[in-house]
Amino acid sequence: MWSFSFCRRAFLALVGSIGILGSTAFSQELKTRPPADPQQAEPKPRQKIGLVFEGGGALGLAHIGVIRWMEDHHIPVDYVSGTSMGGLVGGLYAAGFTPEEMKVFVDGIDWHSVLSGQVPFQSLGFRRKEDKLLFPNRLEFGLKGGRFNLPNGLNSGNAVGLLFDRTLLPYYDLRSFDDLPIPFRCVATEIISGQPHVFKDGSLSQALRATMAIPGVFAPVHHEDLIFSDGAAVDNLPVDVARQMGAQVVIASYLDSGPTDAATLSSLVGVAGRNVSIMTAANVARSLKDADIVISSDVSKFGALEFTRSNDIIPIGVKAAEAQSAQLMKYALNDADWAAYIHERESRRRTKIPVPQFVDIYGVEGSRQKDLEVKFEKFVGQPIDVDQLERAISDALGTGLYSTINYTIVERDGKPGLRIRPREKDHGPPFINLGLNILADAANNVQFGVGTRVTFFNLVGPGSEVRVDGAVGQPATLAGELFKPIKAGSRAFVAPHAYLNQQIVPYYQGTTQLDQYKTKQNGLGADVGFQFNARTELRLGQDYQWYTAVRTIGQPIGNEFHLNPLVSAAKFQYLGQDDMMVPTRGTTVGVIYNYFTERPNESGGFSQMTGRIQHFIPIRERGIIFTAVQGGTSFGAENLGLAGVSLGGPLRLSAYSRNELLGTDFYLLQGGYLYRLARLNPVIGDAIYAGGLYEIGKMYGGNPQTPSLPNDFAGFVVVKTLIGPVLGGLSIGDGGRWKWYIGVGRVF
């Protein structure tokens, strides 16, 4: 029996032979045939094609592969619609981006930073840096309207919005999404009504930001009286939208994520995600039935947050489109028609950005508006440098007052201008920082504390702040400070303050704890200071203190005291690191000098100064070398007891207990290495680091059993989480000492 394929090849060969033999006669006939009727020569209009992209996070990178195959095979697209990540890919395609340009775009994004949604530490103002170092986590709440408010998302979405602002800036005056190289629509959920909203005009950047606003992860997008979130819940594969645009043939790019793995349902996040996917699957199923061609990309081996896997995910889309080639090639154009189609599409693409002639601050008033006008005035009259512009935006976000700041071009009286659109945070001010302080070691030394800071803004003039700090546990504190610039916009300031501090302090001789004391250091006073920039501050101050140490356990050995000194203080800080939890680069410097008019056990006063310098150096992609030098001196004062300086505890001679070494003067040298073991889900964490550290120091003026040159080796792990850094380690030191320790709170 002859196979079907053999018969087909034979038939084609026969037809080809006949065609060759008859070509001469056919050519001669053409020469004598009368001219055809022009109306009969018009080609039949082709059907309008709509391409629809499903949402699915990083899985949506497969859509780029689908586009690549269709472009390579000359399949024209007349309408594009999409949701969430499908909206992003569809919006870029509709704006004229080629598949290659889209890949460069997604590969150039620092997705971990974008998804974490944190303002870079280096961009924070000095006081916001202090907040983050005292409470090194992502938890911020508010008291706006006198109510305790949660933020409306773990991520403000500002980084995503800036990506769109930068990329789509040439389309600043777009009247309708029909004016794009390919007409475009994207879908979001209007969360007040619960109904789908189809974006067809307005800001293309804001439309893409809205369609990707995943509830609980990215903050929703506000526009006038409407609030938008991700459109997946209502129409994740908007085939109906493409039909409404006029598509006669709809090609749906579907993301097949495979069956649900029961192991992923063991967590709150997994269960919540599964419920969302169930709702999404229902509307996708309806859309698939209405599509003419379904390109199904098998992305089941990838996760929705694996944006760095573009080299693996994009080819899956190419393969999926190839599997539907028999249906797709029905709509392919010949070379001439394809060239005409591309020419017409490219003629609608915009690439030029006008030079702004003014700055327009939209959405805020008063002193904040004036501050922003001053900050962005430098961009008037010159071509926009988007890198510098976005650094200026990041610095403005570093004030802590705004959730997002976007930009575009507007026209006024026929002149283009730079519009800066800040949005104030919905949950504050006032703002609340919360944090845990947990430290425990093998010697059953446990410190547990919960701290908070409430910050009020502009109560006594522009730029002023009132801080109220409180902590329960160890240590226990209550403090307040008024920070007020000398005049609006000045870097010089005054800062009256008051504080109550209480702490349990052990006293050791050798490795034996003899006593335990309760120290109280309460006071009030005022500082004058100057902030040189967002990294550097100098303060000079005068306080009056009530300073006591009272024994609570053990025998009396002369360490108790009751003082009421005047304290003259100088404090210098340089915060040049790049992260609040585990810096990868930069330097920090902190120096504090105090002169007390009274001293324990003797008459007269004494001076004391402590300082610390840290430096961090990145090594290749994952490594960090860090060094630190610490020191303190009491300038010859002796017999200070608990008013002296101390060493001991995790990362302060880790093999020794907290405050085990007590004296009048000290130094501590440290050197170590950290290696990033793994990245965590950027929405709830950051990374896991393993490290090693060598420490060596010296304590002067201590008791007779103080070791001459204490030192140790420590190995530890740091996990950067949503609630702050979690530390665990083991240290082995001189004299047979060793300690394991765990903690939550500031590490470096």
Side-chain angles (χ1 to χ4, degrees), residues 618-634:
I619 302 297
R620 297 183 179 176
E621 183 180 354
R622 296 189 174 195
I624 307 166
I625 289 177
F626 63 94
T627 59
V629 177
Q630 300 181 52
T633 179
S634 300

Side-chain angles (χ1 to χ4, degrees), residues 53-57 81-91 160 164 177 184-190 197-199 203-215 218-221 228-238:
F53 299 112
E54 184 187 12
S81 65
T83 298
S84 196
M85 186 63 180
L88 166 60
V89 174
V160 175
F164 297 150
F177 294 175
F184 171 69
R185 303 286 188 272
C186 63
V187 179
T189 303
E190 203 291 295
H197 180 91
V198 179
F199 286 93
S203 167
L204 180 58
S205 172
Q206 287 294 294
L208 297 186
R209 167 70 181 84
T211 192
M212 293 188 66
I214 304 170
F218 292 118
V221 173
F228 301 107
S229 67
D230 191 289
V234 291
D235 198 354
N236 200 39
L237 185 65

Side-chain angles (χ1 to χ4, degrees), residues 395-604:
D395 290 343
L397 288 168
T399 62
L401 296 171
Y402 308 107
S403 60
T404 61
I405 299 179
N406 297 105
Y407 65 93
T408 188
I409 299 292
V410 295
E411 291 192 355
R412 180 191 299 165
D413 300 326
K415 296 181 179 180
L418 175 64
R419 169 167 285 180
I420 303 298
R421 186 170 53 207
R423 179 172 180 80
E424 296 177 338
K425 292 180 178 180
D426 293 320
H427 56 285
F431 297 111
I432 303 174
N433 296 102
L434 293 174
L436 293 175
N437 181 26
I438 302 173
L439 196 58
D441 63 29
N444 292 321
N445 293 318
V446 179
Q447 278 187 294
F448 179 85
V450 179
T452 184
R453 167 171 287 173
V454 182
T455 306
F456 301 82
F457 289 83
N458 300 331
L459 291 184
V460 292
S464 67
E465 295 182 21
V466 173
R467 277 179 177 169
V468 179
D469 292 349
V472 294
Q474 289 299 319
T477 63
L478 179 63
E481 177 187 77
L482 168 63
F483 173 92
K484 189 179 188 317
I486 299 296
K487 61 180 181 178
S490 173
R491 294 183 179 180
F493 63 88
V494 295
H497 51 260
Y499 47 90
L500 304 172
N501 293 319
Q502 177 178 295
Q503 188 166 354
I504 302 300
V505 179
Y507 178 76
Y508 288 85
Q509 281 195 359
T511 59
T512 303
Q513 180 179 341
L514 297 182
D515 298 323
Q516 181 172 285
Y517 295 81
K518 178 185 290 184
T519 64
K520 294 182 180 180
Q521 196 166 10
N522 308 326
L524 54 85
D527 294 341
V528 294
F530 190 85
Q531 289 186 354
F532 297 89
N533 47 47
R535 301 178 298 277
T536 314
E537 181 185 86
L538 174 66
R539 288 186 176 220
L540 302 175
Q542 185 75 49
D543 289 10
Y544 182 79
Q545 288 188 356
W546 295 263
Y547 189 9
T548 63
V550 177
R551 179 175 47 83
T552 58
I553 298 175
Q555 299 298 318
I557 54 176
N559 281 327
E560 295 183 286
F561 59 79
H562 297 268
L563 306 177
N564 297 109
L566 285 172
V567 182
S568 302
K571 182 179 181 181
F572 174 82
Q573 287 190 91
Y574 174 78
L575 307 177
Q577 70 269 54
D578 66 347
D579 191 78
M580 62 182 173
M581 297 190 200
V582 180
T584 62
R585 66 177 71 243
T587 302
T588 71
V589 180
V591 179
I592 300 175
Y593 169 84
N594 289 309
Y595 173 74
F596 298 82
T597 58
E598 297 182 13
R599 61 186 291 180
N601 307 313
E602 295 183 23
S603 60

